[in-house]
Amino acid sequence: MLTGFVLFYVGAVLVINGLWLLGRIDGREIVVINLVTALVSGAVVLRDAFGPGADAGSIRNATLSLLFCTTYLWVAWNRFSGADGRGLGWFSLFVAVTALPVAARAFHDAVSGAQIWMAANWLAWAVLWFLYFLLLALRRPITRQAGWVTLMLGIVTGWLSGYLLIEGLL
């Protein structure tokens, strides 16, 4: 259930950040949803890593979830501080490279449709974070493309997945 909870807010933040990249909303308005999502996912990370019953699986989940939490906190900080995002761009490369073997392992270990879906999500997130690397660290002129990919993946990998999980349909 906590995965659905976090994914639902990941969907919200990606949709809002995508709209921002597309110029539909002002950058100051994305701070709140990025902070909320960082706090929600951060609480789950703390529970998974340090809570009662923490084990290798929950610590692995916390480790990977913290990549997302850190990203959203960093986006909020950049919007608040006026930083140019290059550091976040390089961190995004770290996330993208990390997500590739996570996706490969998830595909290898998948025995259900839901597990294949999550493996595909990891692959999609690797692509998305690589786009952020290109946009922020290397300054490629792909803001519009990154905005659309962010928006679409927010709907498909976060919002929809999270909703289906919290409703017990996935």
Side-chain angles (χ1 to χ4, degrees):
M1 189 59 76
L2 286 176
T3 300
F5 175 59
V6 171
L7 281 177
F8 189 79
Y9 282 91
V10 166
V13 77
L14 291 178
V15 166
I16 298 302
N17 287 348
L19 291 171
W20 164 62
L21 288 169
L22 291 168
R24 303 285 195 258
I25 58 175
D26 185 75
R28 293 173 294 195
E29 291 197 64
I30 68 168
V31 172
V32 171
I33 191 62
N34 278 275
L35 286 176
V36 166
T37 306
L39 291 172
V40 164
S41 59
V44 173
V45 163
L46 290 173
R47 180 192 168 277
D48 282 352
F50 304 110
D55 60 13
S58 68
I59 292 170
R60 178 182 183 273
N61 185 54
T63 302
L64 298 174
S65 296
L66 191 55
L67 295 171
F68 292 83
C69 178
T70 303
T71 298
Y72 306 131
L73 189 57
W74 206 325
V75 169
W77 171 254
N78 285 352
R79 299 314 317 148
F80 180 77
S81 71
D84 69 7
R86 281 183 279 198
L88 177 57
W90 286 101
F91 177 73
S92 295
L93 178 62
F94 176 83
V95 176
V97 169
T98 301
L100 287 173
V102 173
R105 177 182 175 181
F107 276 118
H108 178 267
D109 295 346
V111 294
S112 70
Q115 290 172 330
I116 293 169
W117 176 265
M118 285 306 297
N121 286 350
W122 276 104
L123 186 57
W125 294 327
V127 170
L128 181 61
W129 262 253
F130 187 72
L131 286 177
Y132 297 153
F133 164 70
L134 294 175
L135 177 67
L136 297 169
L138 300 186
R139 303 290 190 207
R140 297 288 195 265
I142 58 167
T143 303
R144 185 165 173 74
Q145 295 89 339
W148 279 111
V149 173
T150 301
L151 178 64
M152 302 280 66
L153 289 183
I155 293 168
V156 175
T157 69
W159 187 3
L160 180 60
S161 298
Y163 180 77
L164 293 173
L165 282 166
I166 64 173
E167 289 295 329
L169 301 172
L170 183 63

